[in-house]
Amino acid sequence: MVGVTVEQTVRCAPEEFLAFVLDAERYAEVDSKLGRIDWVRRQDDVTEFKFRSHLPGIPGPGPTLVSRMSLTPGERVDIEYAPPPHNRLARRFSAFAASFVCAPTPEGTKVTRTVDITFKPPLAYLLHPILKRTLPPDVHQEMQEAKQALEQREIT
């Protein structure tokens, strides 16, 4: 497994940060792991979206995936592969989980971003060493860009 956890304080309310994450097309502007978004469907506190994935350090675009984001209002968004019939091939070769956990602070919101990706052998032997090197800086950059996007919007 390759796991990354990044904490970032952002000058905004937790609800504002979580709304930004749930807007998949807008969030793709700060997350290089999200390529072209084909569609987004939202029902209550669940958002699903289909996109072309891109893993840092792995050449070319990755597979087309459908992710499911589940909102706990004011607190967190949990992300996983959408249930069947989506992602049949991805499930055969990998597992994925991610989250954004928000806690209010006097400075704004402390965001804890986690990404966990596991590939099954034989892909694990090839991809895990690359991702252990490339995923942490990618997630750090993503969170820095999310902070900038939200804080710059606050100023304008």
Side-chain angles (χ1 to χ4, degrees):
M1 177 178 81
V2 179
V4 178
T5 300
V6 174
E7 291 183 350
Q8 180 75 52
T9 299
V10 182
R11 286 189 320 264
C12 69
E15 294 80 8
E16 185 179 4
F17 190 89
L18 296 171
F20 179 53
V21 169
L22 290 170
D23 184 344
E25 291 164 325
R26 189 166 161 231
Y27 200 80
E29 295 173 8
V30 302
D31 187 350
S32 65
K33 295 174 292 305
L34 302 176
R36 182 190 75 240
I37 306 286
D38 291 332
W39 52 257
V40 178
R41 298 181 184 134
R42 186 165 188 176
Q43 183 174 355
D44 301 320
D45 290 336
V46 175
T47 300
E48 291 186 347
F49 66 102
K50 182 178 182 183
F51 69 103
R52 174 63 79 151
S53 66
H54 180 266
L55 290 174
I58 310 298
T64 299
L65 299 171
V66 178
S67 281
R68 171 178 276 189
M69 298 188 284
S70 300
L71 172 68
T72 302
E75 295 179 21
R76 64 186 297 140
V77 169
D78 293 292
I79 307 162
E80 61 188 354
Y81 289 143
H86 304 293
N87 306 309
R88 282 188 213 116
L89 189 59
R91 281 182 209 291
R92 180 174 292 160
F93 296 105
S94 65
F96 170 79
S99 65
F100 295 87
V101 178
C102 294
T105 70
E107 297 81 29
T109 298
K110 177 182 156 192
V111 181
T112 303
R113 167 71 158 133
T114 61
V115 178
D116 294 316
I117 302 173
T118 303
F119 287 94
K120 297 175 185 172
L123 287 176
Y125 305 116
L126 174 66
L127 299 180
H128 284 176
I130 295 169
L131 289 175
K132 284 182 180 181
R133 187 180 72 252
T134 61
L135 190 60
D138 183 86
V139 176
H140 279 275
Q141 180 69 28
E142 168 196 340
M143 289 303 299
Q144 190 62 36
E145 289 185 27
K147 174 183 175 77
Q148 289 173 351
L150 284 165
E151 291 180 354
Q152 285 175 356
R153 196 175 106 205
E154 178 182 286
I155 293 169
T156 59

